[in-house]
Structure formats: structure tokens, C-alpha cells
């Protein structure tokens, strides 16, 4: 059924002058109109937050985008289901070269060659592209060791 048809039939039902349910139906109509007015008055960011909250309250956690910062994530039944995903510790890291000292460029290139299978030319081109990801999917221990070595020679590293 097209959305336009559903909306038009709903509007006709709520805008009829004599609802079949009497005063109770009238108050329901007024309540729904008030809610619609409030929703229409929300800013774009508020609508996004409301949409996420509504999905969580309905238990549709799989429809909520991962990584979205939600200020009210601690409330509601959907919050308990979302917490285990946050508690998982990251196991694979990407090593990203943010920048390096110009005087230490040769040392950085040599160090990059030690943990990659790149030749001198490829390593030089990679380092010159900074900021760039040098290696993906590395364990935490290995990533920290590589980052420490690169920092010693004058590079700024980020683990993602």
C-alpha cells in the first residue's frame, strides 16, 4: 500500500467532524495531533535523536546505527541490549601515520619498511602521503610496539 494512501486515510479519519468513539476518540485525535505538532517542531538533530530513541524503545536495536552518540542511552529497555556491544574490547587496530618530522623522514621510512613488505620506493611514497594508514588489522600488542618505535624516530601515530 502506498504511503500516500495510508497518510491520506489516516488524516481523513482524524479530521472527520464526528468520530465514532465519542469523547474518547476526540481526545485520542487531539493527543495524536499534539504529538505530530511537537514532532514537526523538532530540529534535525532532535529528530535524529528521537528516531534512535523510538527504535530502541520498540526493541529494534538492529536498526539503530552503531557508534551514534545518544545522550539518553542509559534509559529504556533497549539500553540493556546496546551495552554489551559497547563493552566489547577492540582486538584489531589500524596504525595510522598522522605526521612526522621532516628531519626524521628517512628514519620513518626505514622503520615502516621493517614491519611492511614494501620496497624503499613504495615505503617512501606511503610515508609522503601522511596522514595514511600504514597497517590494518594488527593486534593491540603489535600495534603498540610499532607505534612506540615510530614515535621514537619522530612520527606521530594514531591507533584506530
Amino acid at each position: 500500500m502506498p504511503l500516500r494512501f495510508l497518510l491520506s486515510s489516516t488524516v481523513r479519519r482524524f479530521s472527520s467532524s464526528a468520530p465514532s468513539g465519542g469523547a474518547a476518540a476526540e481526545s485520542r485525535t487531539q493527543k495524536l495531533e499534539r504529538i505530530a505538532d511537537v514532532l514537526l517542531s523538532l530540529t534535525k538533530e532532535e529528530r535524529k535523536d528521537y528516531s534512535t530513541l523510538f527504535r530502541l524503545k520498540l526493541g529494534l536495536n538492529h536498526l539503530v546505527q552503531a557508534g551514534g552518540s545518544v545522550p539518553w542511552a542509559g534509559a529504556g529497555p533497549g539500553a540493556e541490549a546496546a551495552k554489551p556491544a559497547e563493552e566489547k574490547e577492540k582486538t584489531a587496530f589500524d596504525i595510522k601515520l598522522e605526521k612526522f618530522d621532516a628531519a626524521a623522514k628517512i628514519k620513518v621510512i626505514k622503520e615502516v619498511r621493517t614491519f611492511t613488505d614494501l620496497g624503499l620506493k613504495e615505503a617512501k611514497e606511503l610515508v609522503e602521503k601522511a596522514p595514511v594508514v600504514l597497517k590494518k588489522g594488527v593486534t593491540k600488542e603489535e600495534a603498540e610496539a610499532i607505534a612506540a618505535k615510530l614515535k621514537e624516530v619522530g612520527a606521530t601515530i594514531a591507533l584506530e
Side-chain angles (χ1 to χ4, degrees):
M1 220 178 263
L3 181 60
R4 192 175 333 156
F5 174 75
L6 290 173
L7 290 175
S8 64
S9 65
T10 304
V11 169
R12 266 183 288 175
R13 186 170 29 137
F14 289 128
S15 62
S16 65
S17 59
S20 60
E26 183 61 32
S27 65
R28 186 180 80 179
T29 301
Q30 290 173 344
K31 180 179 178 182
L32 292 174
E33 286 179 4
R34 181 180 48 80
I35 292 170
D37 290 338
V38 170
L39 290 174
L40 290 173
S41 69
L42 296 176
T43 65
K44 186 176 182 179
E45 186 66 28
E46 289 171 332
R47 284 191 306 263
K48 180 181 172 194
D49 289 345
Y50 171 77
S51 173
T52 305
L53 173 64
F54 192 68
R55 289 182 190 124
L56 285 172
K57 292 235 181 218
L58 288 175
L60 302 172
N61 301 336
H62 62 283
L63 296 178
V64 177
Q65 292 178 352
S69 62
V70 184
W72 30 258
E80 290 80 26
K83 284 182 185 178
E86 293 174 12
E87 293 174 4
K88 290 182 182 176
E89 188 174 329
K90 191 171 181 178
T91 57
F93 292 86
D94 295 343
I95 302 169
K96 183 176 182 180
L97 173 66
E98 296 287 331
K99 58 184 178 178
F100 57 91
D101 294 332
K105 181 177 177 181
I106 294 172
K107 292 178 184 177
V108 173
I109 293 170
K110 286 181 181 180
E111 192 60 44
V112 167
R113 289 189 65 207
T114 63
F115 64 87
T116 62
D117 295 330
L118 300 176
L120 182 61
K121 180 181 176 185
E122 292 85 7
K124 179 181 180 270
E125 290 173 354
L126 184 65
V127 168
E128 289 174 344
K129 291 180 186 177
V132 65
V133 175
L134 298 174
K135 196 163 184 178
K136 294 183 179 183
V138 182
T139 64
K140 184 176 182 178
E141 295 80 21
E142 186 181 356
E144 288 174 348
I146 292 170
K149 289 178 184 177
L150 286 168
K151 287 178 184 177
E152 285 177 18
V153 296
T156 303
I157 302 297
L159 298 179
E160 298 177 343

